[in-house]
Amino acid sequence: MILAVCFFSLLVLLLARVPIAVATGLVGVCGLAAYQGWGAAFAQVGIIATETVLTYEFAVIPLFILMGAFIARSGIAEELFNACYAFVGHWRGGLALSTIVACGGFGAVSGSSLATAATMSRIAYPQMKRFGYKDQLASGSIAAGGTLGILIPPSIALVFFGIITESDIGALFMAGIIPGILGIVLYGAAVLFVVMRDPVAGPAGERQSWGQKAQALRGVWAVVLLFGLVMGGIYGGLFSPTESAGVGAAGALLIALSRGKFSLRMLRSALSDGIATTVTLMMILIGSFLFANLVNISRLPQNLVAFFEAAHVAPIMVIFLIIAVYLVLGCVLESISMMLLTVPVFYPLVVSLGYDLIWFGVLVVVVVEISLITPPVGLNVFVLNAVLRQVKLADIFRGVVPFIFADIARVLMVVFVPWLSLALPNMLK
């Protein structure tokens, strides 16, 4: 009964638009007080807050955020788009394909879906409109492509999953690479499907010479170098994920310097954004840990395991039930908040069913990606609506529908072909 009241109270607070950190922290403290008393509840606030801020492994969060802030100001996104456009821009729907691939590349070094969507909307949308693209395909490809930033490493979402479940963050990063590439391929297939049904939606762009293509490729060296440095260092055992975040942030700063983008104003802006984002995420993390402690004390995960064992439910059906819960929650909750609320409940159940936690982490992030573009809360859609005020919100939501089906196909592939997630981590071992 205590736990039911806590979940209901949390839902009411979230629907009332109380910040997620405040809502989870308040409900967590009150629930812990009901079980253990106010003294023990307040003591946990101090312990959890201190451990969250001072634990060495958590330094990976602000460092990767800082790396993304430097990258976002270095002009890499535009060069990525130009390189992709040089090779496929002359195809029907080619500019939308270029946007998807560029979003994947930018997401690989920024780690932020919202930053990817906001940045690419300013670069890709004007080009697509210049060639007569319909708003639905133009905005839908940007909103969907932006979601790739949450999975392709380095990924803040995978970092959070690793922290909550005490999983190997390096292995999680490696596990996200193939499903991330698969997402680019399936989104590309969605673009081709749209232009096959409606050729006017995505006219072909200008064909470029091989000299122009070679020139465009010279601009993407920084992305390849930085991604190879961060992931290659982890994969090769040169440094830990936390150390790789520091190397990535330093590398991103050097890239900005080499491109003439560095200035004191740029540094101040990047540090300010990085600090604000880090503090917000840390507060959410503290609140979620308080709520997770409440869930553990109530023995909800153990009770769920006992229930499904007694009901003789097939493990795969439990996985699909979890996926359904995420799809429903994705309509009303922001992605990271949804992960922090649900993973402490679900991961003991998944482990008891014999599934690999690395695989489950990738599955969760892939499902959570869908929430970034589904109504009524899809954050990437609202980011685009704020940047592209001339595009109707309804047109953006209609534009992402084919990409939602592509995401559902990817979820099914990740579920039924675990190799997609586990091949690279097994090589890492």
Side-chain angles (χ1 to χ4, degrees):
M1 181 60 69
I2 292 173
L3 195 61
V5 170
C6 288
F7 271 105
F8 179 76
S9 301
L10 179 61
L11 181 61
V12 170
L13 291 173
L14 292 176
L15 291 176
R17 298 191 177 277
V18 174
I20 183 70
V22 176
T24 52
L26 182 61
V27 171
V29 169
C30 292
L32 289 170
Y35 278 105
Q36 299 178 319
W38 288 104
F42 285 131
Q44 289 197 48
V45 174
I47 293 171
I48 290 174
T50 302
E51 290 181 349
T52 301
V53 174
L54 298 182
T55 300
Y56 171 74
E57 287 75 14
F58 287 4
V60 70
I61 296 174
L63 288 172
F64 274 137
I65 290 172
L66 187 60
M67 183 181 81
F70 287 143
I71 286 296
R73 291 162 174 80
S74 63
I76 284 179
E78 185 172 2
E79 294 183 356
L80 275 171
F81 178 79
N82 291 337
C84 297
Y85 171 72
F87 284 88
V88 300
H90 60 282
W91 296 357
R92 188 176 293 162
L95 276 84
L97 290 173
S98 302
T99 300
I100 297 295
V101 178
C103 283
F106 187 73
V109 289
S110 72
S112 170
S113 293
L114 301 183
T116 302
T119 303
M120 294 308 299
S121 64
R122 296 184 178 94
I123 296 168
Y125 182 81
Q127 291 290 336
M128 286 191 272
K129 292 306 294 180
R130 183 166 72 91
F131 285 97
Y133 273 59
K134 288 187 176 180
D135 280 340
Q136 292 183 13
L137 178 59
S139 60
S141 60
I142 298 171
T147 66
L148 297 168
I150 198 175
L151 177 62
I152 297 178
S155 162
I156 298 298
L158 289 175
V159 169
F160 277 138
F161 184 90
I163 289 172
I164 295 170
T165 62
E166 299 182 354
S167 301
D168 185 339
I169 294 176
L172 284 167
F173 281 176
M174 299 305 297
I177 293 176
I178 294 178
I181 295 172
L182 179 62
I184 296 175
V185 173
L186 291 174
Y187 283 173
V191 171
L192 295 178
F193 174 77
V194 171
V195 296
M196 284 176 61
R197 292 183 67 246
D198 183 9
V200 180
E206 299 170 346
R207 183 182 294 272
Q208 298 197 17
S209 67
W210 284 105
Q212 290 173 312
K213 292 176 182 179
Q215 181 67 30
L217 279 178
R218 292 187 190 132
V220 302
W221 66 268
V223 175
V224 177
L225 179 63
L226 189 60
F227 182 80
L229 184 65
V230 172
M231 296 307 300
I234 297 174
Y235 191 76
L238 298 178
F239 34 72
S240 69
T242 303
E243 292 165 344
S244 74
V247 171
L253 180 59
L254 291 175
I255 289 171
L257 277 167
S258 69
R259 291 166 175 263
K261 301 289 184 178
F262 179 82
S263 66
L264 289 178
R265 182 177 180 182
M266 174 268 198
L267 180 62
R268 189 181 304 113
S269 174
L271 291 174
S272 177
D273 287 353
I275 291 169
T277 305
T278 299
V279 170
T280 300
L281 291 177
M282 285 295 186
M283 292 300 294
I284 293 174
L285 199 57
I286 292 169
S288 71
F289 278 152
L290 288 168
F291 188 78
N293 277 9
L294 168 63
V295 169
N296 289 330
I297 288 174
S298 70
R299 296 187 59 79
L300 176 61
Q302 294 86 340
N303 292 336
L304 283 175
V305 172
F307 171 78
F308 284 114
E309 287 178 348
H312 301 290
V313 178
I316 192 65
M317 295 307 297
V318 177
I319 295 298
F320 277 113
L321 180 60
I322 292 173
I323 291 172
V325 170
Y326 275 115
L327 292 177
V328 172
L329 289 178
C331 295
V332 293
L333 284 180
E334 181 267 331
S335 55
I336 295 295
S337 304
M338 181 168 58
M339 278 188 61
L340 295 176
L341 286 175
T342 56
V343 169
V345 178
F346 289 145
Y347 91 84
L349 174 61
V350 170
V351 171
S352 73
L353 295 173
Y355 288 103
D356 191 289
L357 266 185
I358 301 297
W359 167 84
F360 182 63
V362 172
L363 176 63
V364 167
V365 175
V366 170
V367 177
V368 164
E369 277 187 358
I370 304 177
S371 71
L372 290 169
I373 54 176
T374 52
V377 176
L379 286 184
N380 275 18
V381 174
F382 285 102
V383 166
L384 255 70
N385 187 240
V387 177
L388 308 174
R389 297 187 178 276
Q390 67 273 32
V391 182
K392 295 179 181 178
L393 186 63
D395 284 340
I396 305 177
F397 274 122
R398 279 194 288 267
V400 300
V401 170
F403 300 100
I404 292 175
F405 282 106
D407 269 330
I408 293 173
R410 182 163 50 139
V411 168
L412 294 175
M413 294 174 72
V414 170
V415 170
F416 290 112
V417 190
W419 176 90
L420 293 171
S421 304
L422 298 179
L424 292 181
N426 288 338
M427 290 175 62
L428 180 63
K429 292 178 182 178

